[in-house]
Amino acid sequence: SIPKNVSIRAKMIAKEEFLLCGMDLAADVFKTVDASLKFKPQVKDGKRVFPQQVLAIISGNASSILTAERVALNLVALLSGIATKTAKFVKKIQPFKTKITDTRKTIAGLRQLQKYAVRVGSGFNHRLCLDEMILVKDNHLKIMGNYSGLLRVPKGCKIEIEAQSLKEFLRALSFKPDIVMLDNMKIPDIQKAVEIRNKLKINGSSCLTKLEASGSIHLGNVKKYAATGVEIISIGELTDSIESVDISLDIA
């Protein structure tokens, strides 16, 4: 066993190139285990780091550092993986101004942290919770049978309606929602929906409904979706298919 009174100095080191995220969280983990530990970050969240770069220096009781090590590294590796992937999507759609957003497909208990990582990667958050926006999806329509429930929505609530075809899109657009989600629609149909929305006049003014593309979107095709003119592209894999980055803790 490790002697109780041994003090050490350790370095958190990047083993590959990635976008860093979660340093404050790592500091909290070490401090929670042992308030006397000293955690000195060498790089801030949002900065790109490279192999063998020192991310932080931790000094203090050896047993405390080793107790906190795996939790701290796991969290930073997870969040950095999310931030790095998000940044790849954001870069891929340049020069289009479409927003890359996450979804609610998050790990239980970690939603706030995962959505923070998306923001670090220059993405945007869709919804944190159900009461942030009323989203009418296909399963809701199967249960209700129609959009009648929208008539009872309190004023001021943001509304998004899911559509899976141009016919459903036109029906959804007639309710003047804040957003219409074009779910798993083919790119030509999405282009047509954008054209219809852009030409549509409601009460003598331009239609303000934003369009969101979602479903089966990945790095290989995301730029084609952005080129259609949609304002939002939501991508579940930002938070539900995560490749953690490689980070180690080396004792000096």
Side-chain angles (χ1 to χ4, degrees):
S1 63
I2 299 173
K4 293 182 179 180
N5 298 323
V6 174
S7 292
I8 61 172
R9 184 170 178 269
K11 295 179 180 179
M12 185 184 295
I13 298 174
K15 307 298 286 187
E16 60 179 307
E17 181 181 347
F18 57 85
L19 195 68
L20 183 63
C21 181
M23 295 305 286
D24 287 345
L25 187 61
D28 287 343
V29 171
F30 282 104
K31 291 289 186 179
T32 298
V33 171
D34 186 342
S36 70
L37 294 179
K38 294 182 179 179
F39 183 93
K40 296 182 179 180
Q42 305 298 299
V43 190
K44 294 181 179 180
D45 280 8
K47 298 294 183 181
R48 186 159 292 277
V49 298
F50 302 90
Q52 302 308 313
Q53 185 170 348
V54 176
L55 309 179
I57 298 173
I58 308 100
S59 57
N61 182 268
S63 180
S64 297
I65 289 176
L66 294 181
T67 298
E69 170 192 1
R70 183 41 52 196
V71 174
L73 264 60
N74 283 352
L75 287 170
V76 174
L78 176 76
L79 299 186
S80 295
I82 294 171
T84 302
K85 176 178 282 190
T86 302
K88 289 179 180 178
F89 274 95
V90 171
K91 183 177 180 181
K92 194 73 174 180
I93 66 169
Q94 292 178 348
F96 301 107
K97 296 181 179 180
T98 306
K99 290 182 178 181
I100 297 294
T101 77
D102 52 29
T103 69
R104 292 193 307 115
K105 296 177 182 178
T106 53
I107 298 172
L110 294 181
R111 177 170 295 166
Q112 294 282 355
L113 295 177
Q114 288 186 276
K115 284 181 172 286
Y116 164 67
V118 168
R119 297 195 301 272
V120 169
S122 298
F124 294 83
N125 297 148
H126 195 284
R127 293 184 300 163
L128 289 173
C129 51
L130 288 172
D131 62 5
E132 194 168 303
M133 179 193 299
I134 294 174
L135 175 53
V136 182
K137 294 178 66 68
D138 58 338
N139 282 335
H140 299 140
L141 293 174
K142 289 175 183 177
I143 295 170
M144 296 187 301
N146 53 48
Y147 295 98
S148 60
L150 293 175
L151 300 176
R152 298 187 296 272
V153 173
K155 289 185 177 180
C157 287
K158 287 189 175 181
I159 299 174
E160 178 171 4
I161 302 175
E162 180 181 280
Q164 297 182 331
S165 67
L166 282 174
K167 181 179 179 180
E168 290 183 4
F169 162 71
L170 290 171
R171 176 65 172 155
L173 196 61
S174 68
F175 286 90
K176 308 175 189 177
D178 296 277
I179 305 171
V180 174
M181 178 193 293
L182 308 173
D183 187 45
N184 284 300
M185 286 176 58
K186 295 180 180 179
I187 289 178
D189 287 340
I190 292 177
Q191 289 175 324
K192 183 65 175 177
V194 172
E195 291 173 5
I196 293 171
R197 189 278 311 272
N198 290 347
K199 293 178 180 178
L200 185 63
K201 300 291 184 179
I202 298 179
N203 296 327
S205 61
S206 297
C207 177
L208 300 178
T209 297
K210 294 181 179 179
L211 300 184
E212 170 187 342
S214 186
S216 303
I217 301 175
H218 48 77
L219 277 173
N221 63 16
V222 67
K223 191 166 186 175
K224 293 180 180 179
Y225 282 89
T228 64
V230 294
E231 286 79 16
I232 303 165
I233 296 177
S234 57
I235 302 171
E237 75 167 82
L238 296 183
T239 55
D240 76 352
S241 302
I242 311 156
E243 295 181 8
S244 295
V245 301
D246 193 0
I247 303 172
S248 68
L249 188 80
D250 292 351
I251 298 174

